[in-house]
Amino acid sequence: MKRINTMNMKPQSDSPKIININPLDPEEFKRQGYMMIDFLADYIRNIENYPVLSKMEPGYLRKRLPASAPFGPEPIESILKDVEEHIIPGITHWQSPNFYGYFPSSGSIAGFIGEMLSTGFNVVGFNWMSSPAATELETIIMDWLGQMLKLPKTFLFSGDGGGVVLGTTCEAILCTLVAARDKKLSQFGRENIGKLVVYSSDQTHSAFQKASQIAGIHPRNLRVIKTKRSNCFALSPDSLLSTILLDVEKGLIPCFLCATVGTTAVATIDPIGPLCNVAKDYDIWVHVDAAYAGSVCICPEFRHCIDGVEEANSFSFNAHKWFFTNLACCCLWVKDHTALTKSLSVTPHFLRNKASESNQVIDYKDWQIPLSRKFNALKLWLVLRSYGVENLMNFLRSHVQMAKTFESLVRLDKRFEIVAPRKFSLVCFRISPLAIVNGVFKGAEACYNGKLLNDEYVVNEVNRKLLDSINSSGNAFMTHGEVEGAFVIRCAIGATLTEEHHVIMAWKLVQEHANSMLGNY
Amino acid sequence: MKRINTMNMKPQSDSPKIININPLDPEEFKRQGYMMIDFLADYIRNIENYPVLSKMEPGYLRKRLPASAPFGPEPIESILKDVEEHIIPGITHWQSPNFYGYFPSSGSIAGFIGEMLSTGFNVVGFNWMSSPAATELETIIMDWLGQMLKLPKTFLFSGDGGGVVLGTTCEAILCTLVAARDKKLSQFGRENIGKLVVYSSDQTHSAFQKASQIAGIHPRNLRVIKTKRSNCFALSPDSLLSTILLDVEKGLIPCFLCATVGTTAVATIDPIGPLCNVAKDYDIWVHVDAAYAGSVCICPEFRHCIDGVEEANSFSFNAHKWFFTNLACCCLWVKDHTALTKSLSVTPHFLRNKASESNQVIDYKDWQIPLSRKFNALKLWLVLRSYGVENLMNFLRSHVQMAKTFESLVRLDKRFEIVAPRKFSLVCFRISPLAIVNGVFKGAEACYNGKLLNDEYVVNEVNRKLLDSINSSGNAFMTHGEVEGAFVIRCAIGATLTEEHHVIMAWKLVQEHANSMLGNY
């Protein structure tokens, strides 16, 4: 596929050049494609050799790369050499089996090659006509997934609802919040935007606050309802009700509740059914954010965690977290998709077409923030088919089982405590205040300059130092959370490559660092 | 990398199964990766054999696929067979050399393998620490690109500004609009959100209206200023000023202007400098949306199109449109990035870390709507390095040259007219009303049931039918625009594989369909 000779056609350049590069030449595509596959296969094979948390210092890369783009082309071989030498050292390896930070970003072969397919087609699926398969496949697999989760028919296209693949939970919350906002404003008048109130708990993901800010909700109308350890940090329907009542009394307008199944800090499960019961009386839109834990609810033994979802207005989970689908892939279902499209549909002249006007098709541009979108459904379809429902359930169960193993190891060491009951595959632990008070740690007092060791501050500092020490080793990476002022170490299991021996080694690592930092028990 | 035997660990299942699938097994990764590369190389090789616009009917795919996900795994071979048989027929082939619709989505090998790399690493780069290379490479190449565009230092990290890779222009507009909104509200008080006014022309992309709706701007405060053919459909600074004056008189608060370089309908260039001069007096944030045409401004002979950008507050273009970077990749630069981060930064406890608190690093989560993000910069880095600045300029120039060829062919056929002066690589044409009035088309009157042929309605219908007829052939795909009520056929050149002979053939196709529909001249 030789390129045209542009010698005679280049308009204003001083020294016309012949372009004979075809940036989509199939043979070169194969050569470079194979090379990249080999490179990534090696990356996966060697992934345990890299420190999980990058050891690079701020600004390291600017010192190593040129200050401007090259004028002439560079071969792929040099670029891959630079990736090896300069990029990989600056990566925190989310695919490592020793990655336990945040929530997992569990890739898979199916997710990866599904994304390749989408990137290769490179179609823009903003409306049905711009690539019918992109829209239709998405409606089909969102029904498949909805069935796997036993979502009620009201959330499925085969019922009155429907689902969409977005990039992130923040987008899912923003889209549904804007729909809920506009429903209220069309009822009460646009001028009352400052009166709308939105509800969450102190465990709700920050995405909710961000979405509220973007949607123009008055910051003083964001309710962050306190949760308690005694209630496993779940949002209490009574607290919700009393908060709503105060707002109604003030003449404010309750609008939206974000409930969570599997919170970020400790994977709390908010009681969806009872919360919906409260919300219903005030016509509050309830969104259920199950970003992390939604996937595992395909297992019958976990389905009860989303009981009550039939009363909610919308539900989302991230297939790119713990469902083997490479970034980015957030699955959102809504009951009333006309509420969504009323807020998000803008159809300029150039996008009008017969199919859309026939009302026989979905135009996903009206279900999301941007106009453009990739062929999102392919990778999810490949994940579902390549592994099948049974294997997917078992992968997730094996992670939960590993978390149980880790939890039982923590419980065997009296210096540590489980801070919140383990949920799913997340274990939250810390060196216990009691252990510190009892002075079991050699030299611990000296470390903290005579401060009382049972101070919450000191307990937190001890745990923070322990976490830093573990992460600096490069042998595992965990992150922290906070509940009731306590600094908690989170071990979130779910990286695709993690096996039981990794988890056992991770616990040994925690113990070693506790030992060397604070002395043996 | 054998998986653990989960026989003894599966908790509540009736018939425990052994999992011996490793979803990231390197050997299987290679096998399936190669297979997918071969599949896509064949797709590119055969792309001209497919009808550009899909011929499928609404609902075609649901009839062909199962109603639920498979319980057991399916081999990649069956899945690829289904892609061939059921997905490809439902694709509108944006990578086809005969694709002239909307604006191009020009992929390349470099863009493709860059996305593979990002998908393979599958890191989440929300803050610096979560993968330093992801953030640092992005800051570096945004400076590279900024230099290529000769953006002033005030937009670069090497100056006081900075750039970020987002998904789409709609996100770029929404982020900057929210920043501008909050700046005004912190000055005038939150309760005045209903008084903020935002400005655009009737040629501005619908993304602006959508972003305004999402950000909670009162719909009645969205100004859509009329443009004129005599002014090439550019937004007139005088019209802007008079509109602002009316708003100020009413006690409203001018907030944001979206100016465009390369509008969707006819690729109009708004006069950025003069518009900024007007906006400055009212402290209006000016965003320059150069989604399509920004890339070509790396060529010295086109740089003047963004003259005045130094007075704007932000500037964006889509590298996924006409810059050989596969979806999705919108490049946004801002002068005052603290305005952006003030509105978009939410840092919950679990994301606090030493690097962020040192203020030595960028946390891109605060420059965008979602929290999570892929390693966006890789594909753009690969595009810049694999082709080099010179080739990139020449690729773009060759498309402009092809558009000139197409334009000159249109001008040779007296039945047609160029509706707006060709800009960049977009040619806007139609069958001229004069040609229709003069009755040059055999049987045209009969087609339109005796309606007067110079009615704008009839002229539009004739052109709409012509476009449908061309697209139904499957041999090329163009879309339409509208200016001053006229239906315009748009031929947007920029698909990576398009060569001059394709463009010549496309014009012959237009003529053939005009002939057979309406008779020869």
Side-chain angles (χ1 to χ4, degrees), chain B residues 287-399:
Chain B
H287 178 74
V288 179
D289 164 15
Y292 151 64
S295 59
V296 82
C297 299
I298 65 167
C299 302
E301 68 272 24
F302 288 106
R303 173 55 177 78
H304 68 91
C305 301
I306 56 168
D307 277 359
V309 69
E310 61 279 5
E311 301 299 325
N313 298 75
S314 48
F315 173 84
S316 64
F317 88 92
N318 287 348
H320 63 244
K321 275 201 166 65
W322 191 26
F323 204 58
F324 314 99
T325 310
N326 296 52
L327 289 168
C329 190
C330 171
C331 301
L332 166 70
W333 289 267
V334 286
K335 272 184 185 166
D336 177 10
H337 53 78
T338 59
L340 215 58
T341 55
K342 261 185 207 163
S343 285
L344 298 172
S345 173
V346 179
T347 303
H349 193 274
F350 78 97
L351 290 177
R352 286 188 206 144
N353 66 84
K354 279 185 208 157
S356 299
E357 279 158 18
S358 76
N359 278 327
Q360 289 183 287
V361 299
I362 298 285
D363 288 336
Y364 271 127
K365 72 180 178 58
D366 302 335
W367 294 55
Q368 63 175 21
I369 294 160
L371 171 62
S372 292
R373 65 201 322 265
K374 291 183 73 164
F375 194 157
N376 292 323
L378 280 173
K379 58 185 166 186
L380 203 43
W381 187 49
L382 261 78
V383 167
L384 294 173
R385 292 188 63 182
S386 294
Y387 304 118
V389 177
E390 188 180 28
N391 280 319
L392 289 166
M393 291 196 293
N394 287 339
F395 293 155
L396 298 169
R397 284 168 176 152
S398 77
H399 288 142

Side-chain angles (χ1 to χ4, degrees), chain A residues 155-170:
Chain A
F155 280 105
L156 307 185
F157 286 109
S158 52
D160 308 319
V164 59
V165 176
L166 302 175
T168 62
T169 298
C170 192

Side-chain angles (χ1 to χ4, degrees), chain B residues 4 12 44 48 59 72 82 115 127 136 140 146 206-207 223 300 309 375 502:
Chain B
I4 44 169
Q12 296 167 46
I44 298 167
E48 292 192 57
D82 284 350
E115 187 75 15
N127 59 14
E136 299 211 358
I140 293 165
S206 59
R223 301 283 169 264
V309 69
F375 194 157
H502 293 108

